[in-house]
Amino acid sequence: MEHDVSPSPGAPAPMLSSADVARIAALLDRPVVLVGMMGVGKTTVGRRLAAMLGLPFVDADEEIERAAQMAIPEIFAQFGEPYFRDGERRVIARLLGDGADKDRKVLATGGGAFVDGETRRLILEKAVSVWLDSDVDTLVERVGRKDNRPLLREGNPREILTRLRAERQPHYAQAAIHVVSGQQPHAVTADRILRAIDSWL
């Protein structure tokens, strides 16, 4: 992991200027892929980030549901997680294309996508990978807003999230960039991601 961007104590840094954002967008030569736990805000932050960069935003889970013509909880219930991960890998590979400039977009992935070795290899090879991280309390608060997480239906959500976060951390840590998303506005998190991408490019 090359760039670790955590919230700094004290006064927040000023947001990037539109000129700086335009410069970063011009330098970006591949897709940006957000990875991390369910509930961390990948979709919401991803939409904001894509709007700032003037790029398309794609949610991998939505694309999986469109391809399968089924909701993700239904796929898990009917076919199981291995079947879902296989479909997820194929959809993400299609969305990344060859990773070239013409495939530039911001892509939000499901919480388990980057844990799959082949999917992780594709993302690391073809995209700027960003691990969006958060504490368990924030995750519990956010996932409680909607009941569409198959893996949380097997017990206590806090215990499951704590265990999954610990298990997945070594995989997430292989992402090129690590940004901590707390309770700050999504625009602030997107700004931190842009600063980290600027340093990484």
Side-chain angles (χ1 to χ4, degrees), residues 63-85:
E63 292 297 315
I64 292 164
E65 290 184 334
R66 187 176 292 117
Q69 297 188 313
M70 295 175 71
I72 286 173
E74 294 172 356
I75 300 172
F76 266 77
Q78 192 164 331
F79 301 106
E81 186 173 0
Y83 177 92
F84 171 79
R85 295 298 170 203

Side-chain angles (χ1 to χ4, degrees), residues 142-170:
R142 287 179 178 165
V143 299
R145 296 174 189 170
K146 48 186 180 180
D147 180 31
N148 65 343
R149 317 280 186 173
L151 294 179
L152 296 185
R153 295 177 176 175
E154 301 169 6
N156 180 287
R158 177 178 292 276
E159 292 175 1
I160 294 170
L161 286 167
T162 301
R163 174 178 55 80
L164 285 176
R165 187 173 182 272
E167 289 173 356
R168 292 173 174 180
Q169 209 155 359

